[in-house]
mmCIF file of all heavy atoms in Angstrom:
data_model
loop_
_atom_site.group_PDB
_atom_site.id
_atom_site.type_symbol
_atom_site.label_atom_id
_atom_site.label_comp_id
_atom_site.label_asym_id
_atom_site.label_seq_id
_atom_site.Cartn_x
_atom_site.Cartn_y
_atom_site.Cartn_z
ATOM 1 N N TYR B 78 -18.834 75.326 -34.816
ATOM 2 C CA TYR B 78 -17.618 74.747 -34.245
ATOM 3 C C TYR B 78 -17.878 74.225 -32.835
ATOM 4 O O TYR B 78 -17.471 73.112 -32.478
ATOM 5 C CB TYR B 78 -16.485 75.779 -34.218
ATOM 6 C CG TYR B 78 -15.709 75.850 -35.510
ATOM 7 C CD1 TYR B 78 -15.980 76.818 -36.464
ATOM 8 C CD2 TYR B 78 -14.698 74.925 -35.777
ATOM 9 C CE1 TYR B 78 -15.263 76.887 -37.647
ATOM 10 C CE2 TYR B 78 -13.974 74.981 -36.952
ATOM 11 C CZ TYR B 78 -14.261 75.969 -37.886
ATOM 12 O OH TYR B 78 -13.556 76.024 -39.057
ATOM 13 N N ASP B 79 -18.553 75.054 -32.030
ATOM 14 C CA ASP B 79 -18.855 74.638 -30.656
ATOM 15 C C ASP B 79 -19.707 73.377 -30.639
ATOM 16 O O ASP B 79 -19.437 72.439 -29.898
ATOM 17 C CB ASP B 79 -19.608 75.756 -29.918
ATOM 18 C CG ASP B 79 -18.676 76.873 -29.474
ATOM 19 O OD1 ASP B 79 -17.445 76.704 -29.591
ATOM 20 O OD2 ASP B 79 -19.174 77.916 -29.022
ATOM 21 N N VAL B 80 -20.749 73.385 -31.457
ATOM 22 C CA VAL B 80 -21.654 72.245 -31.485
ATOM 23 C C VAL B 80 -20.904 70.985 -31.910
ATOM 24 O O VAL B 80 -21.046 69.932 -31.281
ATOM 25 C CB VAL B 80 -22.828 72.513 -32.441
ATOM 26 C CG1 VAL B 80 -23.610 71.230 -32.689
ATOM 27 C CG2 VAL B 80 -23.733 73.582 -31.862
ATOM 28 N N LEU B 81 -20.087 71.103 -32.938
ATOM 29 C CA LEU B 81 -19.359 69.926 -33.397
ATOM 30 C C LEU B 81 -18.439 69.404 -32.298
ATOM 31 O O LEU B 81 -18.301 68.189 -32.114
ATOM 32 C CB LEU B 81 -18.554 70.260 -34.653
ATOM 33 C CG LEU B 81 -19.397 70.377 -35.928
ATOM 34 C CD1 LEU B 81 -18.569 70.934 -37.073
ATOM 35 C CD2 LEU B 81 -19.972 69.019 -36.311
ATOM 36 N N ARG B 82 -17.837 70.318 -31.558
ATOM 37 C CA ARG B 82 -16.970 69.853 -30.494
ATOM 38 C C ARG B 82 -17.782 69.160 -29.398
ATOM 39 O O ARG B 82 -17.392 68.105 -28.893
ATOM 40 C CB ARG B 82 -16.165 70.997 -29.894
ATOM 41 C CG ARG B 82 -15.051 70.445 -29.025
ATOM 42 C CD ARG B 82 -14.237 71.513 -28.337
ATOM 43 N NE ARG B 82 -14.073 72.703 -29.183
ATOM 44 C CZ ARG B 82 -13.358 73.753 -28.814
ATOM 45 N NH1 ARG B 82 -12.738 73.748 -27.655
ATOM 46 N NH2 ARG B 82 -13.246 74.813 -29.602
ATOM 47 N N ALA B 83 -18.921 69.764 -29.043
ATOM 48 C CA ALA B 83 -19.762 69.166 -28.008
ATOM 49 C C ALA B 83 -20.262 67.791 -28.444
ATOM 50 O O ALA B 83 -20.228 66.828 -27.670
ATOM 51 C CB ALA B 83 -20.935 70.091 -27.708
ATOM 52 N N LEU B 84 -20.697 67.697 -29.692
ATOM 53 C CA LEU B 84 -21.216 66.417 -30.182
ATOM 54 C C LEU B 84 -20.102 65.366 -30.246
ATOM 55 O O LEU B 84 -20.329 64.191 -29.962
ATOM 56 C CB LEU B 84 -21.840 66.591 -31.572
ATOM 57 C CG LEU B 84 -23.073 67.498 -31.648
ATOM 58 C CD1 LEU B 84 -23.610 67.532 -33.074
ATOM 59 C CD2 LEU B 84 -24.153 67.042 -30.688
ATOM 60 N N THR B 85 -18.907 65.820 -30.627
ATOM 61 C CA THR B 85 -17.786 64.887 -30.670
ATOM 62 C C THR B 85 -17.446 64.402 -29.263
ATOM 63 O O THR B 85 -17.226 63.208 -29.038
ATOM 64 C CB THR B 85 -16.554 65.560 -31.301
ATOM 65 O OG1 THR B 85 -16.901 66.036 -32.601
ATOM 66 C CG2 THR B 85 -15.407 64.576 -31.423
ATOM 67 N N ALA B 86 -17.432 65.334 -28.314
ATOM 68 C CA ALA B 86 -17.117 64.957 -26.931
ATOM 69 C C ALA B 86 -18.166 63.992 -26.391
ATOM 70 O O ALA B 86 -17.858 63.104 -25.597
ATOM 71 C CB ALA B 86 -17.044 66.208 -26.063
ATOM 72 N N ALA B 87 -19.404 64.156 -26.846
ATOM 73 C CA ALA B 87 -20.482 63.287 -26.370
ATOM 74 C C ALA B 87 -20.571 61.996 -27.180
ATOM 75 O O ALA B 87 -21.473 61.186 -26.964
ATOM 76 C CB ALA B 87 -21.808 64.044 -26.451
ATOM 77 N N SER B 88 -19.645 61.832 -28.126
ATOM 78 C CA SER B 88 -19.639 60.641 -28.985
ATOM 79 C C SER B 88 -20.904 60.500 -29.815
ATOM 80 O O SER B 88 -21.303 59.395 -30.152
ATOM 81 C CB SER B 88 -19.424 59.360 -28.169
ATOM 82 O OG SER B 88 -18.171 59.403 -27.556
ATOM 83 N N LEU B 89 -21.526 61.619 -30.139
ATOM 84 C CA LEU B 89 -22.675 61.565 -31.040
ATOM 85 C C LEU B 89 -22.210 61.691 -32.484
ATOM 86 O O LEU B 89 -22.902 61.262 -33.411
ATOM 87 C CB LEU B 89 -23.670 62.684 -30.718
ATOM 88 C CG LEU B 89 -24.376 62.531 -29.370
ATOM 89 C CD1 LEU B 89 -25.323 63.694 -29.129
ATOM 90 C CD2 LEU B 89 -25.132 61.216 -29.323
ATOM 91 N N VAL B 90 -21.073 62.301 -32.684
ATOM 92 C CA VAL B 90 -20.448 62.305 -34.001
ATOM 93 C C VAL B 90 -18.962 62.008 -33.795
ATOM 94 O O VAL B 90 -18.463 62.006 -32.668
ATOM 95 C CB VAL B 90 -20.599 63.652 -34.753
ATOM 96 C CG1 VAL B 90 -22.051 64.087 -34.808
ATOM 97 C CG2 VAL B 90 -19.744 64.727 -34.137
ATOM 98 N N ARG B 91 -18.287 61.758 -34.903
ATOM 99 C CA ARG B 91 -16.869 61.437 -34.836
ATOM 100 C C ARG B 91 -16.168 62.305 -35.872
ATOM 101 O O ARG B 91 -16.712 62.556 -36.943
ATOM 102 C CB ARG B 91 -16.706 59.960 -35.174
ATOM 103 C CG ARG B 91 -15.279 59.478 -35.291
ATOM 104 C CD ARG B 91 -15.286 57.991 -35.624
ATOM 105 N NE ARG B 91 -14.001 57.556 -36.132
ATOM 106 C CZ ARG B 91 -13.795 56.415 -36.775
ATOM 107 N NH1 ARG B 91 -14.812 55.593 -36.995
ATOM 108 N NH2 ARG B 91 -12.608 56.075 -37.210
ATOM 109 N N SER B 92 -15.005 62.787 -35.550
ATOM 110 C CA SER B 92 -14.298 63.603 -36.525
ATOM 111 C C SER B 92 -13.112 62.840 -37.082
ATOM 112 O O SER B 92 -12.482 62.046 -36.386
ATOM 113 C CB SER B 92 -13.842 64.920 -35.895
ATOM 114 O OG SER B 92 -12.585 64.769 -35.283
ATOM 115 N N ILE B 93 -12.847 63.044 -38.348
ATOM 116 C CA ILE B 93 -11.693 62.432 -38.989
ATOM 117 C C ILE B 93 -10.961 63.516 -39.750
ATOM 118 O O ILE B 93 -11.569 64.484 -40.200
ATOM 119 C CB ILE B 93 -12.105 61.311 -39.961
ATOM 120 C CG1 ILE B 93 -13.167 61.837 -40.942
ATOM 121 C CG2 ILE B 93 -12.657 60.122 -39.205
ATOM 122 C CD1 ILE B 93 -13.623 60.807 -41.936
ATOM 123 N N ALA B 94 -9.663 63.388 -39.885
ATOM 124 C CA ALA B 94 -8.875 64.432 -40.534
ATOM 125 C C ALA B 94 -7.659 63.824 -41.185
ATOM 126 O O ALA B 94 -6.557 63.906 -40.652
ATOM 127 C CB ALA B 94 -8.459 65.493 -39.512
ATOM 128 N N PRO B 95 -7.836 63.210 -42.367
ATOM 129 C CA PRO B 95 -6.685 62.643 -43.068
ATOM 130 C C PRO B 95 -5.703 63.755 -43.425
ATOM 131 O O PRO B 95 -6.086 64.920 -43.504
ATOM 132 C CB PRO B 95 -7.283 62.053 -44.339
ATOM 133 C CG PRO B 95 -8.750 62.002 -44.116
ATOM 134 C CD PRO B 95 -9.068 63.068 -43.132
ATOM 135 N N GLN B 96 -4.463 63.388 -43.626
ATOM 136 C CA GLN B 96 -3.429 64.341 -44.024
ATOM 137 C C GLN B 96 -3.912 65.237 -45.141
ATOM 138 O O GLN B 96 -4.450 64.779 -46.132
ATOM 139 C CB GLN B 96 -2.220 63.591 -44.555
ATOM 140 C CG GLN B 96 -1.494 62.825 -43.504
ATOM 141 C CD GLN B 96 -0.043 63.246 -43.443
ATOM 142 O OE1 GLN B 96 0.281 64.411 -43.662
ATOM 143 N NE2 GLN B 96 0.821 62.313 -43.152
ATOM 144 N N GLY B 97 -3.670 66.522 -45.002
ATOM 145 C CA GLY B 97 -3.996 67.437 -46.078
ATOM 146 C C GLY B 97 -5.466 67.768 -46.169
ATOM 147 O O GLY B 97 -5.892 68.483 -47.061
ATOM 148 N N SER B 98 -6.236 67.254 -45.231
ATOM 149 C CA SER B 98 -7.663 67.558 -45.245
ATOM 150 C C SER B 98 -8.028 68.298 -43.972
ATOM 151 O O SER B 98 -7.396 68.140 -42.941
ATOM 152 C CB SER B 98 -8.458 66.255 -45.323
ATOM 153 O OG SER B 98 -9.819 66.492 -45.040
ATOM 154 N N VAL B 99 -9.039 69.139 -44.060
ATOM 155 C CA VAL B 99 -9.546 69.774 -42.852
ATOM 156 C C VAL B 99 -10.398 68.752 -42.108
ATOM 157 O O VAL B 99 -10.634 67.657 -42.621
ATOM 158 C CB VAL B 99 -10.385 71.016 -43.207
ATOM 159 C CG1 VAL B 99 -9.529 72.029 -43.936
ATOM 160 C CG2 VAL B 99 -11.583 70.636 -44.031
ATOM 161 N N ALA B 100 -10.875 69.093 -40.934
ATOM 162 C CA ALA B 100 -11.652 68.151 -40.132
ATOM 163 C C ALA B 100 -12.963 67.808 -40.836
ATOM 164 O O ALA B 100 -13.626 68.662 -41.417
ATOM 165 C CB ALA B 100 -11.941 68.748 -38.762
ATOM 166 N N ARG B 101 -13.307 66.546 -40.824
ATOM 167 C CA ARG B 101 -14.556 66.075 -41.392
ATOM 168 C C ARG B 101 -15.308 65.291 -40.338
ATOM 169 O O ARG B 101 -14.705 64.750 -39.430
ATOM 170 C CB ARG B 101 -14.287 65.199 -42.614
ATOM 171 C CG ARG B 101 -13.761 66.000 -43.772
ATOM 172 C CD ARG B 101 -13.071 65.155 -44.809
ATOM 173 N NE ARG B 101 -12.633 66.003 -45.915
ATOM 174 C CZ ARG B 101 -13.431 66.447 -46.873
ATOM 175 N NH1 ARG B 101 -14.711 66.101 -46.877
ATOM 176 N NH2 ARG B 101 -12.972 67.215 -47.825
ATOM 177 N N TYR B 102 -16.635 65.224 -40.490
ATOM 178 C CA TYR B 102 -17.441 64.610 -39.440
ATOM 179 C C TYR B 102 -18.364 63.549 -40.005
ATOM 180 O O TYR B 102 -18.789 63.619 -41.163
ATOM 181 C CB TYR B 102 -18.251 65.698 -38.722
ATOM 182 C CG TYR B 102 -17.361 66.657 -37.983
ATOM 183 C CD1 TYR B 102 -16.803 67.752 -38.628
ATOM 184 C CD2 TYR B 102 -17.036 66.430 -36.653
ATOM 185 C CE1 TYR B 102 -15.943 68.616 -37.957
ATOM 186 C CE2 TYR B 102 -16.182 67.279 -35.973
ATOM 187 C CZ TYR B 102 -15.648 68.382 -36.629
ATOM 188 O OH TYR B 102 -14.791 69.222 -35.967
ATOM 189 N N GLU B 103 -18.668 62.566 -39.164
ATOM 190 C CA GLU B 103 -19.587 61.522 -39.580
ATOM 191 C C GLU B 103 -20.388 61.073 -38.365
ATOM 192 O O GLU B 103 -19.991 61.269 -37.222
ATOM 193 C CB GLU B 103 -18.828 60.345 -40.174
ATOM 194 C CG GLU B 103 -17.974 59.622 -39.147
ATOM 195 C CD GLU B 103 -17.242 58.450 -39.761
ATOM 196 O OE1 GLU B 103 -17.445 58.169 -40.954
ATOM 197 O OE2 GLU B 103 -16.469 57.808 -39.039
ATOM 198 N N ALA B 104 -21.532 60.461 -38.659
ATOM 199 C CA ALA B 104 -22.450 60.084 -37.586
ATOM 200 C C ALA B 104 -22.325 58.615 -37.206
ATOM 201 O O ALA B 104 -22.913 58.189 -36.217
ATOM 202 C CB ALA B 104 -23.882 60.395 -38.003
ATOM 203 N N ARG B 105 -21.576 57.854 -38.005
ATOM 204 C CA ARG B 105 -21.392 56.438 -37.660
ATOM 205 C C ARG B 105 -20.421 56.365 -36.492
ATOM 206 O O ARG B 105 -19.211 56.507 -36.661
ATOM 207 C CB ARG B 105 -20.808 55.669 -38.841
ATOM 208 C CG ARG B 105 -21.835 54.956 -39.694
ATOM 209 C CD ARG B 105 -21.157 54.100 -40.757
ATOM 210 N NE ARG B 105 -20.649 52.828 -40.248
ATOM 211 C CZ ARG B 105 -20.007 51.936 -41.011
ATOM 212 N NH1 ARG B 105 -19.785 52.183 -42.290
ATOM 213 N NH2 ARG B 105 -19.586 50.812 -40.482
ATOM 214 N N VAL B 106 -20.930 56.132 -35.317
ATOM 215 C CA VAL B 106 -20.058 56.021 -34.154
ATOM 216 C C VAL B 106 -20.316 54.685 -33.474
ATOM 217 O O VAL B 106 -21.349 54.060 -33.687
ATOM 218 C CB VAL B 106 -20.308 57.152 -33.138
ATOM 219 C CG1 VAL B 106 -19.917 58.482 -33.733
ATOM 220 C CG2 VAL B 106 -21.767 57.155 -32.716
ATOM 221 N N GLY B 107 -19.381 54.236 -32.707
ATOM 222 C CA GLY B 107 -19.607 53.039 -31.901
ATOM 223 C C GLY B 107 -19.304 51.748 -32.633
ATOM 224 O O GLY B 107 -19.167 50.706 -32.015
ATOM 225 N N ASP B 108 -19.204 51.799 -33.961
ATOM 226 C CA ASP B 108 -18.782 50.584 -34.643
ATOM 227 C C ASP B 108 -17.309 50.763 -34.988
ATOM 228 O O ASP B 108 -16.710 51.800 -34.761
ATOM 229 C CB ASP B 108 -19.615 50.312 -35.899
ATOM 230 C CG ASP B 108 -19.407 51.375 -36.960
ATOM 231 O OD1 ASP B 108 -18.779 52.410 -36.661
ATOM 232 O OD2 ASP B 108 -19.898 51.196 -38.073
ATOM 233 N N ASN B 109 -16.719 49.726 -35.502
ATOM 234 C CA ASN B 109 -15.281 49.764 -35.696
ATOM 235 C C ASN B 109 -14.954 49.876 -37.189
ATOM 236 O O ASN B 109 -14.290 49.036 -37.752
ATOM 237 C CB ASN B 109 -14.660 48.494 -35.108
ATOM 238 C CG ASN B 109 -13.154 48.584 -35.071
ATOM 239 O OD1 ASN B 109 -12.606 49.627 -34.716
ATOM 240 N ND2 ASN B 109 -12.488 47.518 -35.461
ATOM 241 N N HIS B 110 -15.445 50.936 -37.808
ATOM 242 C CA HIS B 110 -15.180 51.038 -39.244
ATOM 243 C C HIS B 110 -14.054 52.042 -39.528
ATOM 244 O O HIS B 110 -13.700 52.858 -38.691
ATOM 245 C CB HIS B 110 -16.451 51.428 -40.004
ATOM 246 C CG HIS B 110 -16.770 52.887 -39.935
ATOM 247 N ND1 HIS B 110 -17.420 53.460 -38.883
ATOM 248 C CD2 HIS B 110 -16.523 53.895 -40.803
ATOM 249 C CE1 HIS B 110 -17.569 54.748 -39.100
ATOM 250 N NE2 HIS B 110 -17.025 55.052 -40.253
ATOM 251 N N HIS B 111 -13.506 51.923 -40.741
ATOM 252 C CA HIS B 111 -12.385 52.766 -41.110
ATOM 253 C C HIS B 111 -12.700 53.516 -42.400
ATOM 254 O O HIS B 111 -13.842 53.540 -42.823
ATOM 255 C CB HIS B 111 -11.129 51.897 -41.264
ATOM 256 C CG HIS B 111 -10.818 51.123 -40.022
ATOM 257 N ND1 HIS B 111 -10.726 51.699 -38.783
ATOM 258 C CD2 HIS B 111 -10.609 49.790 -39.824
ATOM 259 C CE1 HIS B 111 -10.448 50.785 -37.875
ATOM 260 N NE2 HIS B 111 -10.388 49.610 -38.485
ATOM 261 N N HIS B 112 -11.667 54.123 -43.005
ATOM 262 C CA HIS B 112 -11.908 54.969 -44.174
ATOM 263 C C HIS B 112 -10.894 54.761 -45.285
ATOM 264 O O HIS B 112 -9.733 54.489 -45.016
ATOM 265 C CB HIS B 112 -11.899 56.439 -43.745
ATOM 266 C CG HIS B 112 -12.980 56.756 -42.762
ATOM 267 N ND1 HIS B 112 -12.763 56.871 -41.413
ATOM 268 C CD2 HIS B 112 -14.315 56.927 -42.923
ATOM 269 C CE1 HIS B 112 -13.902 57.109 -40.784
ATOM 270 N NE2 HIS B 112 -14.864 57.146 -41.667
ATOM 271 N N VAL B 113 -11.384 54.892 -46.527
ATOM 272 C CA VAL B 113 -10.501 54.944 -47.694
ATOM 273 C C VAL B 113 -10.516 56.362 -48.203
ATOM 274 O O VAL B 113 -11.590 56.955 -48.331
ATOM 275 C CB VAL B 113 -11.004 54.135 -48.902
ATOM 276 C CG1 VAL B 113 -9.885 53.337 -49.496
ATOM 277 C CG2 VAL B 113 -12.207 53.328 -48.591
ATOM 278 N N VAL B 114 -9.366 56.909 -48.506
ATOM 279 C CA VAL B 114 -9.291 58.264 -49.030
ATOM 280 C C VAL B 114 -8.671 58.218 -50.419
ATOM 281 O O VAL B 114 -7.642 57.570 -50.628
ATOM 282 C CB VAL B 114 -8.432 59.162 -48.120
ATOM 283 C CG1 VAL B 114 -8.439 60.597 -48.625
ATOM 284 C CG2 VAL B 114 -8.932 59.108 -46.687
ATOM 285 N N CYS B 115 -9.306 58.904 -51.361
ATOM 286 C CA CYS B 115 -8.775 58.972 -52.725
ATOM 287 C C CYS B 115 -7.677 60.020 -52.777
ATOM 288 O O CYS B 115 -7.887 61.171 -52.421
ATOM 289 C CB CYS B 115 -9.875 59.319 -53.717
ATOM 290 S SG CYS B 115 -9.262 59.511 -55.407
ATOM 291 N N ARG B 116 -6.487 59.612 -53.214
ATOM 292 C CA ARG B 116 -5.369 60.546 -53.291
ATOM 293 C C ARG B 116 -5.629 61.638 -54.322
ATOM 294 O O ARG B 116 -5.079 62.735 -54.224
ATOM 295 C CB ARG B 116 -4.089 59.810 -53.721
ATOM 296 C CG ARG B 116 -3.483 58.916 -52.662
ATOM 297 C CD ARG B 116 -2.132 58.404 -53.159
ATOM 298 N NE ARG B 116 -1.670 57.271 -52.381
ATOM 299 C CZ ARG B 116 -1.065 57.383 -51.191
ATOM 300 N NH1 ARG B 116 -0.886 58.561 -50.665
ATOM 301 N NH2 ARG B 116 -0.666 56.312 -50.549
ATOM 302 N N ALA B 117 -6.428 61.313 -55.331
ATOM 303 C CA ALA B 117 -6.632 62.261 -56.421
ATOM 304 C C ALA B 117 -7.692 63.307 -56.073
ATOM 305 O O ALA B 117 -7.452 64.504 -56.166
ATOM 306 C CB ALA B 117 -7.020 61.520 -57.698
ATOM 307 N N CYS B 118 -8.874 62.867 -55.661
ATOM 308 C CA CYS B 118 -9.957 63.830 -55.478
ATOM 309 C C CYS B 118 -10.332 64.038 -54.020
ATOM 310 O O CYS B 118 -11.146 64.898 -53.704
ATOM 311 C CB CYS B 118 -11.196 63.395 -56.265
ATOM 312 S SG CYS B 118 -11.986 61.911 -55.614
ATOM 313 N N GLY B 119 -9.725 63.260 -53.126
ATOM 314 C CA GLY B 119 -9.995 63.474 -51.710
ATOM 315 C C GLY B 119 -11.269 62.833 -51.200
ATOM 316 O O GLY B 119 -11.593 62.975 -50.021
ATOM 317 N N ALA B 120 -11.983 62.139 -52.055
ATOM 318 C CA ALA B 120 -13.223 61.495 -51.617
ATOM 319 C C ALA B 120 -12.942 60.489 -50.510
ATOM 320 O O ALA B 120 -11.888 59.856 -50.487
ATOM 321 C CB ALA B 120 -13.885 60.798 -52.802
ATOM 322 N N ILE B 121 -13.888 60.354 -49.610
ATOM 323 C CA ILE B 121 -13.732 59.435 -48.485
ATOM 324 C C ILE B 121 -14.877 58.445 -48.506
ATOM 325 O O ILE B 121 -16.019 58.817 -48.761
ATOM 326 C CB ILE B 121 -13.748 60.199 -47.148
ATOM 327 C CG1 ILE B 121 -12.594 61.199 -47.101
ATOM 328 C CG2 ILE B 121 -13.673 59.241 -45.975
ATOM 329 C CD1 ILE B 121 -12.539 61.991 -45.811
#
Side-chain angles (χ1 to χ4, degrees):
Chain B
Y78 274 98
D79 283 351
V80 168
L81 285 171
R82 193 183 324 183
L84 296 182
T85 303
S88 297
L89 292 179
V90 307
R91 174 180 163 196
S92 87
I93 52 180
Q96 291 237 34
S98 167
V99 299
R101 290 161 178 281
Y102 295 86
E103 67 179 357
R105 264 186 79 181
V106 294
D108 65 350
N109 190 42
H110 79 278
H111 303 309
H112 298 101
V113 225
V114 184
C115 177
R116 287 188 196 279
C118 69
I121 299 180

